Amino acid sequence: MCSSDLQKVAADMNGDGKVGVDDIVLILRKAAGFAAPGARSIASSGGAVQISLDSIRGMAGETVIMPVKVDNRELLAGGEISVVYDSSVLRAVGVSSKTDAMLVGSVAQPGIVRIAFVDTNGLRGQVLAEIEFEVLADDKSLLTFKNVYLYQPDARPLTSRKVNGKFESWSIPPERSALLQNFPNPFNPETWIPYQLRTGNEVTIRIYSASGNMVRELDLGHRDA
């Protein structure tokens, strides 16, 4: 089948005259022998998917990974996403996925990452994709969803809640000192305990058991901000 024929078939799947991920969802369902979608829409019954980016940190010359996460993944069969960022601080170098979804990512245009994916069997993990960035400058950059189009298995649009993320260089002192959540958690046999300092200070970390007994004291000495 030539590309013009394929475009005609795809456009006819939902009758909107455009080829998009929603059409591909229907084509794959048909090819796999799934029954035609019913009239009841998950979206119309209040279903929604939250799609979110994290807050990540790094230093100039390093590479960092920004996960793209989704909840209610059982509702999700495909989508088209674009994320914008400051190209003077970061450079997107690739998009990958550990899921079984058919996923295509584009990082060719500075300042924007485009992702399209389809999985009619339902996603099996919280992380939809991972965007790899090269850190160009020790500065800050917001990472913001520009467009988000998500579809359920019957190719109807899903309501989306968007949570944007940010990058910040480790060289920028944080606004406050804090002990952060260890990860992974639970863990075996190792975990990482991150902390941040607004100003240089002596650092001691004490670890307690669930019963309140101190089991380890880590004297890290003086640490800069």
Side-chain angles (χ1 to χ4, degrees):
M1 180 180 292
C2 69
S3 60
S4 60
D5 292 334
L6 180 60
Q7 181 172 343
K8 181 178 180 181
V9 170
D12 287 341
M13 292 302 292
N14 62 7
D16 65 358
K18 299 178 181 178
V19 179
V21 167
D22 51 344
D23 300 298
I24 298 172
V25 169
L26 294 177
I27 292 171
L28 290 179
R29 284 182 60 89
K30 185 175 180 64
F34 288 108
R40 184 175 181 274
S41 168
I42 296 174
S44 65
S45 64
V49 171
Q50 176 173 292
I51 183 165
S52 61
L53 301 169
D54 279 348
S55 295
I56 57 173
R57 304 192 76 171
M59 296 285 287
E62 297 179 345
T63 59
V64 294
I65 301 296
M66 171 62 79
V68 182
K69 300 178 180 178
V70 293
D71 69 356
N72 289 337
R73 55 190 182 273
E74 69 278 1
L75 306 182
L76 190 59
E80 300 169 78
I81 303 161
S82 59
V83 176
V84 294
Y85 63 93
D86 187 340
S87 60
S88 68
V89 178
L90 300 171
R91 182 175 71 89
V93 296
V95 179
S96 62
S97 176
K98 295 184 173 75
T99 72
D100 295 332
M102 298 173 56
L103 184 143
V104 177
S106 172
V107 297
Q109 182 179 347
I112 187 166
V113 177
R114 293 184 173 89
I115 300 171
F117 68 96
V118 173
D119 191 341
T120 56
N121 293 320
L123 298 173
R124 294 164 180 79
Q126 184 185 28
V127 178
L128 168 65
E130 293 180 336
I131 307 173
E132 182 178 0
F133 290 99
E134 178 186 355
V135 183
L136 303 179
D138 286 320
D139 206 337
K140 299 179 181 180
S141 172
L142 295 176
L143 289 103
T144 306
F145 288 110
K146 181 180 181 182
N147 295 307
V148 174
Y149 305 104
L150 303 178
Y151 305 101
Q152 56 193 359
D154 63 6
R156 299 187 187 184
L158 274 166
T159 302
S160 62
R161 300 186 299 268
K162 297 178 283 293
V163 179
N164 296 317
K166 66 179 180 179
F167 166 81
E168 186 172 349
S169 170
W170 284 115
S171 68
I172 301 174
E175 296 179 357
R176 60 185 178 87
S177 297
L179 180 65
L180 307 176
Q181 175 65 50
N182 70 298
F183 66 89
N185 183 25
F187 64 91
N188 181 17
E190 297 180 348
T191 189
W192 184 40
I193 306 175
Y195 66 91
Q196 60 186 32
L197 298 178
R198 174 60 182 161
T199 59
N201 213 326
E202 300 295 318
V203 176
T204 302
I205 296 178
R206 298 182 178 90
I207 302 172
Y208 294 85
S209 68
S211 60
N213 298 318
M214 188 174 72
V215 296
R216 184 72 62 86
E217 180 176 281
L218 307 174
D219 185 357
L220 305 183
H222 185 86
R223 290 289 184 266
D224 294 331

mmCIF file of all heavy atoms in Angstrom, residues 22-51:
data_model
loop_
_atom_site.group_PDB
_atom_site.id
_atom_site.type_symbol
_atom_site.label_atom_id
_atom_site.label_comp_id
_atom_site.label_asym_id
_atom_site.label_seq_id
_atom_site.Cartn_x
_atom_site.Cartn_y
_atom_site.Cartn_z
ATOM 1 N N ASP A 22 -4.499 9.019 17.162
ATOM 2 C CA ASP A 22 -5.824 8.432 17.376
ATOM 3 C C ASP A 22 -6.206 7.502 16.232
ATOM 4 O O ASP A 22 -6.812 6.439 16.439
ATOM 5 C CB ASP A 22 -6.874 9.520 17.580
ATOM 6 C CG ASP A 22 -6.848 10.592 16.499
ATOM 7 O OD1 ASP A 22 -5.844 10.669 15.767
ATOM 8 O OD2 ASP A 22 -7.818 11.368 16.404
ATOM 9 N N ASP A 23 -5.851 7.859 14.985
ATOM 10 C CA ASP A 23 -6.115 6.982 13.844
ATOM 11 C C ASP A 23 -5.288 5.698 13.932
ATOM 12 O O ASP A 23 -5.774 4.614 13.629
ATOM 13 C CB ASP A 23 -5.780 7.701 12.531
ATOM 14 C CG ASP A 23 -6.608 8.962 12.342
ATOM 15 O OD1 ASP A 23 -7.836 8.847 12.262
ATOM 16 O OD2 ASP A 23 -6.015 10.046 12.294
ATOM 17 N N ILE A 24 -4.029 5.835 14.362
ATOM 18 C CA ILE A 24 -3.149 4.664 14.457
ATOM 19 C C ILE A 24 -3.669 3.694 15.508
ATOM 20 O O ILE A 24 -3.601 2.475 15.340
ATOM 21 C CB ILE A 24 -1.707 5.106 14.761
ATOM 22 C CG1 ILE A 24 -1.172 5.973 13.615
ATOM 23 C CG2 ILE A 24 -0.808 3.891 14.964
ATOM 24 C CD1 ILE A 24 0.152 6.618 13.892
ATOM 25 N N VAL A 25 -4.203 4.229 16.606
ATOM 26 C CA VAL A 25 -4.802 3.369 17.628
ATOM 27 C C VAL A 25 -5.896 2.502 17.011
ATOM 28 O O VAL A 25 -5.964 1.288 17.226
ATOM 29 C CB VAL A 25 -5.365 4.214 18.791
ATOM 30 C CG1 VAL A 25 -6.226 3.351 19.717
ATOM 31 C CG2 VAL A 25 -4.236 4.860 19.591
ATOM 32 N N LEU A 26 -6.773 3.110 16.212
ATOM 33 C CA LEU A 26 -7.868 2.366 15.584
ATOM 34 C C LEU A 26 -7.352 1.364 14.556
ATOM 35 O O LEU A 26 -7.860 0.248 14.438
ATOM 36 C CB LEU A 26 -8.848 3.335 14.937
ATOM 37 C CG LEU A 26 -9.634 4.247 15.899
ATOM 38 C CD1 LEU A 26 -10.518 5.208 15.117
ATOM 39 C CD2 LEU A 26 -10.453 3.425 16.876
ATOM 40 N N ILE A 27 -6.333 1.765 13.779
ATOM 41 C CA ILE A 27 -5.762 0.863 12.777
ATOM 42 C C ILE A 27 -5.171 -0.372 13.442
ATOM 43 O O ILE A 27 -5.390 -1.513 13.009
ATOM 44 C CB ILE A 27 -4.698 1.595 11.940
ATOM 45 C CG1 ILE A 27 -5.357 2.663 11.062
ATOM 46 C CG2 ILE A 27 -3.924 0.607 11.080
ATOM 47 C CD1 ILE A 27 -4.368 3.561 10.377
ATOM 48 N N LEU A 28 -4.406 -0.182 14.542
ATOM 49 C CA LEU A 28 -3.790 -1.309 15.226
ATOM 50 C C LEU A 28 -4.839 -2.208 15.870
ATOM 51 O O LEU A 28 -4.694 -3.435 15.885
ATOM 52 C CB LEU A 28 -2.800 -0.805 16.283
ATOM 53 C CG LEU A 28 -1.533 -0.149 15.727
ATOM 54 C CD1 LEU A 28 -0.656 0.335 16.866
ATOM 55 C CD2 LEU A 28 -0.764 -1.120 14.847
ATOM 56 N N ARG A 29 -5.902 -1.619 16.407
ATOM 57 C CA ARG A 29 -6.985 -2.429 16.960
ATOM 58 C C ARG A 29 -7.609 -3.312 15.878
ATOM 59 O O ARG A 29 -7.857 -4.497 16.081
ATOM 60 C CB ARG A 29 -8.056 -1.527 17.584
ATOM 61 C CG ARG A 29 -7.693 -0.925 18.926
ATOM 62 C CD ARG A 29 -8.841 -0.089 19.452
ATOM 63 N NE ARG A 29 -10.034 -0.905 19.625
ATOM 64 C CZ ARG A 29 -10.333 -1.562 20.748
ATOM 65 N NH1 ARG A 29 -9.529 -1.495 21.793
ATOM 66 N NH2 ARG A 29 -11.435 -2.279 20.832
ATOM 67 N N LYS A 30 -7.829 -2.705 14.724
ATOM 68 C CA LYS A 30 -8.440 -3.455 13.621
ATOM 69 C C LYS A 30 -7.503 -4.559 13.142
ATOM 70 O O LYS A 30 -7.926 -5.696 12.897
ATOM 71 C CB LYS A 30 -8.783 -2.501 12.477
ATOM 72 C CG LYS A 30 -9.536 -3.152 11.310
ATOM 73 C CD LYS A 30 -9.925 -2.105 10.288
ATOM 74 C CE LYS A 30 -10.670 -2.741 9.118
ATOM 75 N NZ LYS A 30 -11.955 -3.333 9.534
ATOM 76 N N ALA A 31 -6.201 -4.226 13.010
ATOM 77 C CA ALA A 31 -5.234 -5.205 12.535
ATOM 78 C C ALA A 31 -5.094 -6.378 13.506
ATOM 79 O O ALA A 31 -4.854 -7.517 13.101
ATOM 80 C CB ALA A 31 -3.874 -4.539 12.319
ATOM 81 N N ALA A 32 -5.253 -6.097 14.813
ATOM 82 C CA ALA A 32 -5.120 -7.138 15.830
ATOM 83 C C ALA A 32 -6.414 -7.913 16.038
ATOM 84 O O ALA A 32 -6.456 -8.853 16.839
ATOM 85 C CB ALA A 32 -4.671 -6.523 17.144
ATOM 86 N N GLY A 33 -7.479 -7.518 15.345
ATOM 87 C CA GLY A 33 -8.733 -8.240 15.437
ATOM 88 C C GLY A 33 -9.612 -7.853 16.600
ATOM 89 O O GLY A 33 -10.531 -8.591 16.962
ATOM 90 N N PHE A 34 -9.343 -6.692 17.218
ATOM 91 C CA PHE A 34 -10.196 -6.237 18.313
ATOM 92 C C PHE A 34 -11.554 -5.815 17.761
ATOM 93 O O PHE A 34 -11.667 -5.323 16.635
ATOM 94 C CB PHE A 34 -9.563 -5.054 19.052
ATOM 95 C CG PHE A 34 -8.386 -5.429 19.896
ATOM 96 C CD1 PHE A 34 -7.103 -5.072 19.505
ATOM 97 C CD2 PHE A 34 -8.546 -6.143 21.069
ATOM 98 C CE1 PHE A 34 -6.003 -5.407 20.280
ATOM 99 C CE2 PHE A 34 -7.452 -6.484 21.841
ATOM 100 C CZ PHE A 34 -6.181 -6.128 21.450
ATOM 101 N N ALA A 35 -12.573 -5.957 18.605
ATOM 102 C CA ALA A 35 -13.909 -5.521 18.219
ATOM 103 C C ALA A 35 -13.937 -4.008 18.098
ATOM 104 O O ALA A 35 -13.120 -3.301 18.693
ATOM 105 C CB ALA A 35 -14.932 -5.985 19.257
ATOM 106 N N ALA A 36 -14.887 -3.519 17.316
ATOM 107 C CA ALA A 36 -15.033 -2.075 17.165
ATOM 108 C C ALA A 36 -15.352 -1.452 18.516
ATOM 109 O O ALA A 36 -16.075 -2.043 19.326
ATOM 110 C CB ALA A 36 -16.153 -1.763 16.178
ATOM 111 N N PRO A 37 -14.813 -0.265 18.822
ATOM 112 C CA PRO A 37 -15.067 0.373 20.095
ATOM 113 C C PRO A 37 -16.557 0.605 20.318
ATOM 114 O O PRO A 37 -17.300 0.907 19.394
ATOM 115 C CB PRO A 37 -14.306 1.705 19.987
ATOM 116 C CG PRO A 37 -13.304 1.494 18.918
ATOM 117 C CD PRO A 37 -13.938 0.530 17.960
ATOM 118 N N GLY A 38 -16.978 0.455 21.572
ATOM 119 C CA GLY A 38 -18.364 0.709 21.917
ATOM 120 C C GLY A 38 -18.640 2.192 22.024
ATOM 121 O O GLY A 38 -17.752 3.034 21.904
ATOM 122 N N ALA A 39 -19.886 2.492 22.262
ATOM 123 C CA ALA A 39 -20.291 3.902 22.303
ATOM 124 C C ALA A 39 -19.880 4.579 23.586
ATOM 125 O O ALA A 39 -19.716 5.783 23.635
ATOM 126 C CB ALA A 39 -21.810 4.001 22.131
ATOM 127 N N ARG A 40 -19.709 3.801 24.673
ATOM 128 C CA ARG A 40 -19.406 4.410 25.963
ATOM 129 C C ARG A 40 -17.959 4.882 25.987
ATOM 130 O O ARG A 40 -17.046 4.155 25.633
ATOM 131 C CB ARG A 40 -19.638 3.412 27.099
ATOM 132 C CG ARG A 40 -19.425 4.008 28.486
ATOM 133 C CD ARG A 40 -19.795 2.979 29.556
ATOM 134 N NE ARG A 40 -19.614 3.529 30.890
ATOM 135 C CZ ARG A 40 -18.475 3.508 31.548
ATOM 136 N NH1 ARG A 40 -17.419 2.971 30.989
ATOM 137 N NH2 ARG A 40 -18.382 4.015 32.764
ATOM 138 N N SER A 41 -17.735 6.087 26.404
ATOM 139 C CA SER A 41 -16.394 6.674 26.428
ATOM 140 C C SER A 41 -15.895 6.769 27.851
ATOM 141 O O SER A 41 -16.601 7.237 28.742
ATOM 142 C CB SER A 41 -16.417 8.079 25.815
ATOM 143 O OG SER A 41 -15.221 8.749 26.077
ATOM 144 N N ILE A 42 -14.668 6.314 28.089
ATOM 145 C CA ILE A 42 -14.068 6.458 29.408
ATOM 146 C C ILE A 42 -13.945 7.928 29.772
ATOM 147 O O ILE A 42 -14.201 8.343 30.889
ATOM 148 C CB ILE A 42 -12.674 5.788 29.432
ATOM 149 C CG1 ILE A 42 -12.814 4.292 29.198
ATOM 150 C CG2 ILE A 42 -11.982 6.029 30.759
ATOM 151 C CD1 ILE A 42 -11.502 3.571 29.061
ATOM 152 N N ALA A 43 -13.553 8.742 28.789
ATOM 153 C CA ALA A 43 -13.373 10.165 29.063
ATOM 154 C C ALA A 43 -14.684 10.809 29.502
ATOM 155 O O ALA A 43 -14.712 11.641 30.394
ATOM 156 C CB ALA A 43 -12.830 10.871 27.824
ATOM 157 N N SER A 44 -15.790 10.414 28.874
ATOM 158 C CA SER A 44 -17.059 11.034 29.209
ATOM 159 C C SER A 44 -17.532 10.632 30.597
ATOM 160 O O SER A 44 -18.387 11.285 31.168
ATOM 161 C CB SER A 44 -18.115 10.645 28.166
ATOM 162 O OG SER A 44 -18.371 9.245 28.212
ATOM 163 N N SER A 45 -16.996 9.541 31.163
ATOM 164 C CA SER A 45 -17.384 9.113 32.495
ATOM 165 C C SER A 45 -16.464 9.691 33.571
ATOM 166 O O SER A 45 -16.510 9.270 34.714
ATOM 167 C CB SER A 45 -17.384 7.585 32.586
ATOM 168 O OG SER A 45 -16.075 7.079 32.388
ATOM 169 N N GLY A 46 -15.605 10.636 33.204
ATOM 170 C CA GLY A 46 -14.790 11.327 34.186
ATOM 171 C C GLY A 46 -13.349 10.873 34.251
ATOM 172 O O GLY A 46 -12.588 11.333 35.090
ATOM 173 N N GLY A 47 -12.940 9.926 33.371
ATOM 174 C CA GLY A 47 -11.567 9.467 33.389
ATOM 175 C C GLY A 47 -10.603 10.561 32.978
ATOM 176 O O GLY A 47 -10.896 11.367 32.107
ATOM 177 N N ALA A 48 -9.444 10.603 33.638
ATOM 178 C CA ALA A 48 -8.424 11.594 33.313
ATOM 179 C C ALA A 48 -7.065 10.988 33.601
ATOM 180 O O ALA A 48 -6.927 10.082 34.427
ATOM 181 C CB ALA A 48 -8.625 12.876 34.103
ATOM 182 N N VAL A 49 -6.055 11.475 32.903
ATOM 183 C CA VAL A 49 -4.686 11.006 33.082
ATOM 184 C C VAL A 49 -3.811 12.200 33.441
ATOM 185 O O VAL A 49 -3.859 13.231 32.775
ATOM 186 C CB VAL A 49 -4.158 10.331 31.799
ATOM 187 C CG1 VAL A 49 -2.668 10.047 31.912
ATOM 188 C CG2 VAL A 49 -4.918 9.044 31.515
ATOM 189 N N GLN A 50 -3.038 12.049 34.509
ATOM 190 C CA GLN A 50 -2.048 13.076 34.844
ATOM 191 C C GLN A 50 -0.733 12.724 34.185
ATOM 192 O O GLN A 50 -0.261 11.590 34.290
ATOM 193 C CB GLN A 50 -1.853 13.178 36.355
ATOM 194 C CG GLN A 50 -0.758 14.181 36.742
ATOM 195 C CD GLN A 50 -0.680 14.411 38.225
ATOM 196 O OE1 GLN A 50 -1.581 14.990 38.831
ATOM 197 N NE2 GLN A 50 0.388 13.939 38.850
ATOM 198 N N ILE A 51 -0.152 13.678 33.489
ATOM 199 C CA ILE A 51 1.154 13.497 32.870
ATOM 200 C C ILE A 51 2.085 14.523 33.488
ATOM 201 O O ILE A 51 1.738 15.707 33.605
ATOM 202 C CB ILE A 51 1.069 13.628 31.331
ATOM 203 C CG1 ILE A 51 2.433 13.365 30.692
ATOM 204 C CG2 ILE A 51 0.481 14.967 30.887
ATOM 205 C CD1 ILE A 51 2.357 13.112 29.208
#
